[in-house]
Amino acid sequence: MTRVKPAQNGSAQSRVIAEMRSRIISGELPAGSSVSEIALADSFGVSRTPVREALKQLQTEGLIEIRPRVGTFVTAPSRREITELFEMKELIEGAAARLLALRGRVPELDKLERNLAEADAAVEADDKERYAELVEEFHDLLITGADNAKLEAHYRILMNQLAYARLVTTSLSQPGRALQSDREHHRVVDLIIAKDGDSAERVMRDHVRASRQALMAGLEMTAERAGEP
């Protein structure tokens, strides 16, 4: 593990939280992997106290699981938990699409249109890695464009619990999913521009549901290859 520059006492806990959150969400720390307080304290150049408190916070966020007398692990959500989280994602992003449609021509719409143009190019080039990045950006712009701080706060917690960066890659591994996803994004933005909030919400929810179905299919294939029951 890369050693991080020592933090000042006052900021040690927040720095550990931010860095660990980033490592988990990016997949650098895989789901189910063990986390050592001692190793982290050495890596960050801090005592074990801020590391312990940081891990407690990450457990609250759903990223870390602390098992007394067993160890600390990166959370590996079950299929049921993923389904439940995606059901919440569907509600939040559907609402965001409707709210954005009601705002009119705001800067986020220009950014969404640029995102779609880049996404079209990535799909055409069959660059799934780049398209996955643009998918995350698309959903982030949708949320910020809704201009609702409470909605955004819940969304950020949800995305952390999903470790979405890992899951979107699995979803896009399904044949034809990237192209279909791109088309769905276009349809959502067209409805937002038309200020049709109800339809934008409905189509956005359909899109999230389709993404979940592709993800679950990808997880099933991964489990079969690994020989899981």
Side-chain angles (χ1 to χ4, degrees):
M1 185 179 292
T2 304
R3 187 176 179 85
V4 179
K5 183 179 179 180
Q8 298 297 319
N9 289 339
S11 63
Q13 182 177 327
S14 61
R15 289 189 54 161
V16 174
I17 290 172
E19 178 63 22
M20 289 296 294
R21 185 187 292 123
S22 175
R23 292 178 185 180
I24 293 169
I25 293 172
S26 69
E28 181 181 340
L29 287 175
S33 62
S34 177
V35 177
S36 166
E37 280 188 16
I38 296 174
L40 287 175
D42 180 65
S43 172
F44 284 94
V46 298
S47 70
R48 293 177 64 179
T49 299
V51 170
R52 187 176 299 114
E53 293 305 312
L55 292 176
K56 288 179 181 178
Q57 173 60 34
L58 293 170
Q59 181 180 41
T60 301
E61 294 180 14
L63 293 174
I64 287 290
E65 180 182 3
I66 300 174
R67 304 176 195 167
R69 296 182 296 279
V70 177
T72 301
F73 304 87
V74 176
T75 301
S78 67
R79 286 176 174 79
R80 178 182 176 85
E81 288 171 326
I82 290 173
T83 296
E84 291 175 348
L85 289 167
F86 260 86
E87 287 171 347
M88 293 304 300
K89 186 175 188 288
E90 179 186 326
L91 291 170
I92 291 172
E93 293 191 351
R98 179 173 53 80
L99 290 170
L100 179 52
L102 297 176
R103 293 188 66 206
R105 191 74 199 190
V106 294
E108 285 82 3
L109 272 179
D110 294 326
K111 294 176 182 178
L112 279 167
E113 289 182 327
R114 288 196 293 271
N115 173 278
L116 290 177
E118 291 185 44
D120 291 345
V123 170
E124 179 68 24
D126 196 27
D127 187 346
K128 289 188 174 62
E129 182 176 350
R130 177 56 181 154
Y131 183 68
E133 294 172 350
L134 290 164
V135 166
E136 288 192 71
E137 181 183 86
F138 177 91
H139 290 264
D140 190 70
L141 286 169
L142 187 76
I143 294 297
T144 57
D147 194 31
N148 184 305
K150 299 298 183 183
L151 181 147
E152 183 172 356
H154 284 294
Y155 178 81
R156 301 300 173 201
I157 293 172
L158 182 66
M159 288 298 97
N160 286 346
Q161 292 179 346
L162 277 170
Y164 189 63
R166 295 198 303 254
L167 297 184
V168 71
T169 301
T170 302
S171 174
L172 294 174
S173 68
Q174 295 302 291
R177 179 56 198 158
L179 176 60
Q180 185 61 35
S181 168
D182 189 41
R183 288 173 176 170
E184 291 163 3
H185 284 182
H186 274 276
R187 181 60 178 151
V188 170
V189 172
D190 286 345
L191 290 167
I192 290 172
I193 291 172
K195 299 183 181 180
D196 186 347
D198 290 341
S199 296
E201 178 174 10
R202 174 179 53 78
V203 173
M204 188 64 208
R205 291 186 62 168
D206 289 343
H207 166 64
V208 175
R209 200 175 304 120
S211 296
R212 173 168 62 87
Q213 291 168 350
L215 168 63
M216 300 309 283
L219 291 175
E220 289 291 340
M221 290 178 60
T222 300
E224 287 176 6
R225 287 195 294 268
E228 295 179 11

